[in-house]
Amino acid sequence: MHWGIPKYIICDNGAEFSGKLVKQLADQYKIKILYNASRHPQANPTERVNKTLGNMLRAYVGSNHRHWDKETPKIGFALRSAIHESTTYTPAYLNFGRELNINLEENDDTGEVIPEVEDNRDYGKKLVELKKMYQEVQERLIQNHEKNAKRYNLRRRPMDFKVNDRVWKRNFPQSDAAKAFCAKLAPKFTGPFII
């Protein structure tokens, strides 16, 4: 496997992730599957990336939506070579210990990248630098998580429900073209209901 076996996989409750075959495969490779709460996309980091991908694709495809898939290599490269706000490094550097080559002049006439030759001493120094960098990134991610939690919790208030209280229930409607019903225009909450 190119990237190795993951320790865990975060996924939603879709049938493609909760089926028997996926569970058997996860057990075989000792991968822990972590399921998100239903209808809670904030808990799934992939949803944030999908939002960014959607925005980037819209910028590339314009009015012709037939060949959007041909733009994905460019978008993937842009995501891998962009500095992340929390880590202050590019994903490519964190994964490979080097930035991706974007200078065409460093390529030979066949279009293949000419690798840099490093001796063992340089490689050893690089490993020490990478270990320090990973520790820095881990600390930054923890700090960023704490900062975001503090900001989020400023708007939260403790709720104490009792029998006979009136409450609103979050609404999860499905669009239905036959009835001319659009879920995005439906009320976000229904009720009130009595506990």
Side-chain angles (χ1 to χ4, degrees), residues 16-88:
E16 63 273 16
F17 300 118
S18 58
K20 185 178 176 183
L21 182 62
V22 171
K23 288 181 180 179
Q24 286 175 344
L25 194 62
D27 288 343
Q28 180 182 350
Y29 287 101
K30 295 179 177 59
I31 300 169
K32 186 174 183 179
I33 299 178
L34 304 173
Y35 294 102
N36 293 326
S38 293
R39 302 184 187 273
H40 188 69
Q42 297 92 322
N44 188 345
T46 304
E47 293 299 333
R48 183 64 188 99
V49 175
N50 287 346
K51 182 178 178 181
T52 302
L53 285 173
N55 291 337
M56 294 173 85
L57 276 171
R58 272 191 287 285
Y60 267 101
V61 299
S63 61
N64 183 1
H65 295 189
R66 286 194 184 102
H67 304 293
W68 64 268
D69 56 322
K70 291 188 170 95
E71 306 300 335
T72 55
K74 297 173 193 170
I75 291 169
F77 184 86
L79 287 172
R80 289 186 290 275
S81 60
I83 294 174
H84 193 275
E85 183 181 352
S86 295
T87 65
T88 69

Side-chain angles (χ1 to χ4, degrees), residues 89-176:
Y89 292 99
T90 66
Y93 194 79
L94 290 175
N95 280 302
F96 306 122
R98 64 175 178 80
E99 296 298 349
L100 298 176
N101 180 28
I102 57 174
N103 185 354
L104 296 177
E105 293 173 10
E106 290 180 17
N107 295 346
D108 64 12
D109 58 350
T110 63
E112 302 231 352
V113 177
I114 302 169
E116 293 180 23
V117 178
E118 294 183 20
D119 65 21
N120 288 339
R121 289 177 303 220
D122 289 341
Y123 187 70
K125 288 178 190 175
K126 186 75 162 179
L127 287 177
V128 171
E129 289 172 19
L130 287 174
K131 188 171 183 178
K132 287 180 186 176
M133 179 192 63
Y134 290 143
Q135 290 170 342
E136 281 177 36
V137 166
Q138 188 68 32
E139 290 169 16
R140 281 194 197 113
L141 290 173
I142 290 168
Q143 289 170 355
N144 201 3
H145 175 74
E146 290 170 354
K147 185 175 88 175
N148 289 339
K150 186 176 180 181
R151 188 180 320 130
Y152 177 82
N153 289 330
L154 285 174
R155 296 184 302 271
R156 301 295 296 169
R157 55 185 180 183
M159 301 299 291
D160 187 22
F161 297 107
K162 300 177 195 80
V163 175
N164 293 327
D165 280 355
R166 292 174 157 248
V167 294
W168 290 87
K169 179 180 165 279
R170 185 174 287 278
N171 193 18
F172 297 107
Q174 299 293 317
S175 294
D176 187 348

